[in-house]
Amino acid sequence: MKRAITPGTFDPITEGHLDVISRAAQLMDEVVVAVAASHKKHPLFSLEERTALVRKACAHIPNVTVQPFDGLLVDFAQEIDAHVVVKGLRAITDFEYEFQMAALNQQLDYELETVFIMSPPQYMYLSSSIVREIASLSGDVAQFVPPCVLEALQEKFATN
C-alpha cells in the first residue's frame, strides 16, 4: 500500500489545500493529512481546531485520514509508515523553500520521497495567511475556503 503524507499548518485549510489533497488521493492508496502544531507560527486556530476543520473539509475523500503531529515530519512519517510526502507548489518562491525541505527530509530519511503537485491557476495566489487577512477585515472568503472554515472564520472574527 502506498501511503503518503500531505503536511501543513492548515491555518485554515483552503480550497488550494483541498485541491492538492484530492489530487494526492487519486495518486496514492492512502493519504494522511498531517496537521502540524507549528507553535512558532502562532496560528489563529488551535491544533485541535485545525485538525477538526481539516477532517470536516476532507470527509468526502474516502482514502484520506487526518492526524495532528508535533515534531519532525520524518519522525511522523516513520511512525505511520509513510514513504512519500506530497506538497503543493504555487510559485517559484514555494519551490525554493520546498526543494530545501525535501533535500533535508531525504538527508534525515533517505527512503522518504517528496512529490510536488502544481497548483492550478485559480489557486496560485491563494494562501492561508491571505485568507486570514481578508477575513479579519470582514472580507468575503467564501470562494477560497470550504463552508466549515468560512463559519469558523466568521466566529473568530465576529464583532460583539
Side-chain angles (χ1 to χ4, degrees):
M1 177 188 285
K2 291 277 188 195
R3 178 176 294 136
I5 296 177
T6 301
T9 303
F10 304 107
D11 187 37
I13 188 167
T14 68
E15 292 293 344
H17 292 129
L18 284 173
D19 177 73
V20 170
I21 294 164
S22 63
R23 290 166 61 200
Q26 292 173 353
L27 298 171
M28 307 302 285
D29 297 321
E30 181 183 355
V31 175
V32 177
V33 180
V35 182
S38 299
H39 303 293
K40 290 182 180 179
K41 288 186 174 182
H42 305 289
L44 174 66
F45 292 99
S46 70
L47 180 58
E48 295 77 20
E49 289 171 320
R50 289 181 282 125
T51 301
L53 287 170
V54 174
R55 281 192 179 121
K56 286 179 189 173
C58 293
H60 66 286
I61 312 171
N63 60 331
V64 169
T65 58
V66 180
Q67 293 187 40
F69 81 101
D70 194 2
L72 290 175
L73 181 63
V74 294
D75 292 340
F76 183 69
Q78 290 170 353
E79 181 183 316
I80 66 167
D81 195 31
H83 298 282
V84 178
V85 175
V86 178
K87 298 289 293 197
L89 291 178
R90 295 170 297 189
I92 193 70
T93 52
D94 280 353
F95 177 78
E96 291 173 7
Y97 174 78
E98 296 300 347
F99 182 80
Q100 181 181 19
M101 295 310 299
L104 286 168
N105 286 338
Q106 193 165 47
Q107 186 69 31
L108 294 170
D109 180 355
Y110 69 93
E111 293 182 357
L112 190 61
E113 292 291 338
T114 301
V115 174
F116 296 111
I117 293 180
M118 297 300 299
S119 292
Q122 68 265 31
Y123 300 130
M124 285 193 169
Y125 61 87
L126 188 56
S127 70
S128 295
S129 58
I130 288 171
V131 166
R132 286 192 313 271
E133 184 170 351
I134 294 169
S136 74
L137 298 170
S138 301
D140 182 10
V141 295
Q143 64 184 318
F144 307 129
V145 296
C148 62
V149 172
L150 178 62
E151 184 179 323
L153 285 166
Q154 288 170 341
E155 287 176 19
K156 282 281 185 190
F157 293 116
T159 55
N160 296 331

